[in-house]
Amino acid sequence: NAGVTQTPKFQVLKTGQSMTLQCAQDMNHNSMYWYRQDPGMGLRLIYYSASEGTTDKGEVPNGYNVSRLNKREFSLRLESAAPSQTSVYFCASSGSNTGELFFGEGSRLTVL
Amino acid sequence: LAKTTQPISMDSYEGQEVNITCSHNNIATNDYITWYQQFPSQGPRFIIQGYKTKVTNEVASLFIPADRKSSTLSLPRVSLSDTAVYYCLVGDSPYNAGNMLTFGGGTRLMVKP
């Protein structure tokens, strides 16, 4: 099993451009999460989805939108990228039986 | 949400036992305590989870006092490969889906030869 898969792994954008980060999990988990991690810092929660069809804001949702397309997929969109959004983005999922978070490998985004 | 406080960094030597304490003074009745490990350029990885007293698995032990306002992750006989950042999370019962799980700053553990 692949677990949690994120695409792309690397992306460079210019200020004002838009892009979507894709995340898919094959563990039949209900809950999915998007975090960002700035250099030398901890993870901050952007948005999360308790189940298909629901999404909620996390600690730092401004400048982002999400879509829970189906149970497997949870995408993160930057409508107008800013240099402050330069970060590594991690997607995670969890099943309701243990609550353990399973993370993807991360997507490194640079906004010039 | 229960806020967590951990030491920013710790140093140790190979073969020693390392104890990392996390403070969570406003933990709620339904909250569980979970620890994650993160290596550079990787996503965090689950280590251990507990509600009260002591939990032990093949890699670590978790000690939680009766008042649950703190917890201690214990790593026995660390090796160089245990150099990583360790995060303490406090969140609602893992049996409830979709909890707002937030990470603090973590503790950067450096294991020296």
Side-chain angles (χ1 to χ4, degrees), chain B:
Chain B
L1 293 174
K3 180 178 170 57
T4 60
T5 303
Q6 304 174 231
I8 294 174
S9 64
M10 294 180 69
D11 289 343
S12 183
Y13 290 93
E14 281 190 293
Q16 289 188 333
E17 178 184 75
V18 171
N19 296 309
I20 305 174
T21 297
C22 179
S23 183
H24 29 81
N25 289 321
N26 59 340
I27 189 169
T29 302
N30 289 340
D31 284 344
Y32 280 67
I33 300 152
T34 312
W35 285 80
Y36 286 82
Q37 175 191 55
Q38 185 181 27
F39 296 115
S41 302
Q42 294 184 23
R45 184 179 67 172
F46 174 91
I47 301 175
I48 197 166
Q49 182 179 78
Y51 183 80
K52 62 181 179 180
T53 62
K54 177 183 175 181
V55 179
T56 297
N57 62 22
E58 61 276 10
V59 297
S61 294
L62 178 59
F63 299 92
I64 306 168
D67 66 5
R68 302 198 331 119
K69 293 184 182 300
S70 67
S71 58
T72 299
L73 174 72
S74 181
L75 304 173
R77 297 180 299 282
V78 294
S79 65
L80 296 177
S81 63
D82 292 315
T83 293
V85 179
Y86 293 82
Y87 295 95
C88 162
L89 270 74
V90 173
D92 197 357
S93 166
Y95 303 101
N96 297 328
N99 298 310
M100 186 169 164
L101 299 174
T102 58
F103 287 73
T107 297
R108 192 172 300 272
L109 173 65
M110 173 68 73
V111 179
K112 303 175 182 178

Side-chain angles (χ1 to χ4, degrees), chain A residues 2-104:
Chain A
V4 178
T5 303
Q6 295 182 228
T7 56
K9 287 186 171 47
F10 300 93
Q11 183 72 50
V12 178
L13 293 177
K14 295 181 180 178
T15 297
Q17 287 185 317
S18 62
M19 79 158 297
T20 300
L21 299 176
Q22 307 286 354
C23 176
Q25 52 91 10
D26 61 4
M27 295 172 282
N28 201 36
H29 286 166
N30 287 320
S31 305
M32 297 185 74
Y33 303 78
W34 276 106
Y35 292 89
R36 61 175 287 176
Q37 185 171 36
D38 299 335
M41 306 293 286
L43 288 86
R44 292 184 291 171
L45 180 64
I46 306 172
Y47 271 93
Y48 66 106
S49 170
S51 60
E52 182 179 354
T54 69
T55 60
D56 286 285
K57 295 179 180 179
E59 302 169 281
V60 289
N62 291 343
Y64 305 95
N65 286 303
V66 291
S67 295
R68 184 72 183 269
L69 304 171
N70 47 55
K71 191 171 186 178
R72 289 187 64 249
E73 299 172 290
F74 188 38
S75 62
L76 178 71
R77 183 163 179 83
L78 287 71
E79 291 291 351
S80 178
S84 61
Q85 293 178 304
T86 292
S87 191
V88 179
Y89 292 83
F90 287 101
C91 177
S93 70
S94 72
S96 58
N97 55 340
T98 67
E100 176 182 346
L101 287 167
F102 292 83
F103 282 83

